[in-house]
Amino acid sequence: MSIEPVLFYIFSAVLVFAAVMVIAVRNPVFAALFLVLAFFNSAALWLLLEAEFLALVLVLVYVGAVMVLFLFVVMMLDINLTPLREGFIKYMPVGLVVAVIMLLEIAVVVGPENFGLDQVAPPPRHGADYNNTAELGSVLYTVYAYPFEIAAVILLVAIVAAISLTLRRRPQTKYQNPAEQVLVRREDRVRLVKMEAEKAGSAEGAEGD
Amino acid sequence: MVFEFPNFVPALAEIFVLTMACVVLIVDLFLTERNRVITYLLSQATLLGAAVLTVSLHNNSTELTFSGGFIRDGMGDVLKVFIYLVVAVVFLYSREYLVVRKLFKGEFFVLGLFAVLGMMVMVSGHSLLTIYLGLELLSLSLYAMVAMHRDSMPASEAAMKYFILGAIASGMLLYGMSLIYGATGSLDIGVIADTLRMSPGDDMVLLLGLTFIIVALAFKLGAVPFHMWIPDVYHGAPTPVTLFIGSAPKIAAFAMVMRLLVDGLGPLHVQWQDMLVILAALSIVAGSVIAIAQRNLKRMLAYSTIAHVGFLLLGILAGTENGYAGAMFYVLVYALMTLGAFGMILMLSRAGFEADEIEDFKGLNERSPWFAFVMLILMFSMAGVPPFVGFYAKLAVLQAVIDAGLVWLAVLAVLSAVIGAFYYLRIVKYMYFDKPGDESALQSNFDMRATISANGLLILGLGIYPSGLMALCVTVLR
């Protein structure tokens, strides 16, 4: 027996455990860290499927960028979680029933009798010179160019939406404008005022200036 | 996979809308508050240009391009032209409301145009992937539009609910699509249908995938028991956004149901018919009964939407060409009626006053007999009273259901429609037989008055001559 099934079961078990912990732990920082663990394990599963490019991208993008940002947000926001959990016990029985039924349905269908090796042939093995990234690129920008462009538009909408929801112009806020500071001229700041010389008797008070 | 260089001509309208949306986005940055009307005019010009392109490219053949991800056919062309028309009217009705409330920003129009693009992609989607992406493009734009009024707590709450439930529905849709892909080995709607025709039967994988897809579609359409977000979102969102959500996206959702269930999973009709029967019966009954208890007109129209979605599903579940044509007729008419009803709320509201309670329509006849009459047309049409067009829409889907042998469902639908007529007629009673709460004359500009009058007269005119639009629906679906 090869080592691959053993690795698969180890990674899958950790993945399921991490996914459950994401919603089960109380501390949102731990939840985010468990999500990172889940991402790493699914990346490992993809490596076993010879999808090494996707596995690396998952780690780089989701763990490296998205989850780090997410952790920042979770740490910055001061959310009191107690009111969010108020109805938890009350709704849990209903939620559990629904979840268990759905889990059973999925388990019955997505099993060996429908997706076993006799139903779906295993994908062919490729040699070490097989380039997964090039294969992906060659279809992504040709056959799947249309979905690719729509995905790009979705990202543009996300940018527009995020900016329009968060940009708040505050005219009262005091801030420095370095450009104006650098371009300032002597005449803008210093004003020479010609004054008559004052009488000697009252000059004592003015000397301090 | 063999790559064939795509033919861009069938998708010219989509390309035009995308380009213009980006142009509007850039131009808007350079406009001052006073010149913002240019954004509005450019958006209207975009919709007009897209309509010209779609009409001029229209013919009765079916064209596939972008490696099978895009389809241009008669149904798609008609639905797209109606989407442009509806969105143009939405922009027109919204303008004054937005200006008065300092919400007249370029983002409203840019996001609106991107939502239009999303709807066009959905209408023309011929692969599971493009349909899903079109839906996401539409939904993302709508979430942001609901949240646009940041200082309003109800709007933020509505946006949050809409976003979370929409995300769950998208997850369901993706899971269902992945199961269908696993069972048939293709994302292409045509290939899926061919594979299913080769191997009919009760494959468990297909059934589970179908169930998930129907749950997601019911979420997006707002059919009972997946309707809970509709009243809250309709109520909480700014009225122009409610008008947007309630009208054009329903046309796109109809197209999505047609592409997924009829074109793709058509061979499984026996299986999905039963599921749709349950959804339709519950929606019609719940929508008609719960609407009676509402005091807020936006909430009442939300429940009325749920009932209308039930009627729409009646036409689809019949599974015949007449049924599909009836459902298409229904959704187009429904979009026109919704435009008028929310347009009236927008017209009656002014600075600091929303006019979204039913009481606000009291004595409208004394304030403006003509617009009370327009509202009467709209309410009678929604209730399904002849000779208004809502009656013919209901008649068409009910006939299809009876032809499909589901007489009990037709009887249930008629009984619920009679119950539902009560709350539409209550508004008419308020308008004609009650004393007005405030006597002030209506304030609105000329283009709003003209369009809303045309909207009401169109409902009346289509009611007297429904055969033209009906014939169009039958022709493009053949």
Side-chain angles (χ1 to χ4, degrees), chain A residues 108-123:
Chain A
V108 166
V109 173
V110 187
E113 67 261 42
N114 285 321
F115 286 103
L117 283 179
D118 50 335
Q119 303 280 329
V120 186

Side-chain angles (χ1 to χ4, degrees), chain A residues 42-43 45-57 132 136:
Chain A
S42 30
L45 289 182
W46 277 353
L47 269 183
L48 288 178
L49 284 170
E50 298 187 9
E52 67 275 353
F53 177 74
L54 290 179
L56 292 177
V57 166
N132 197 302
L136 211 61

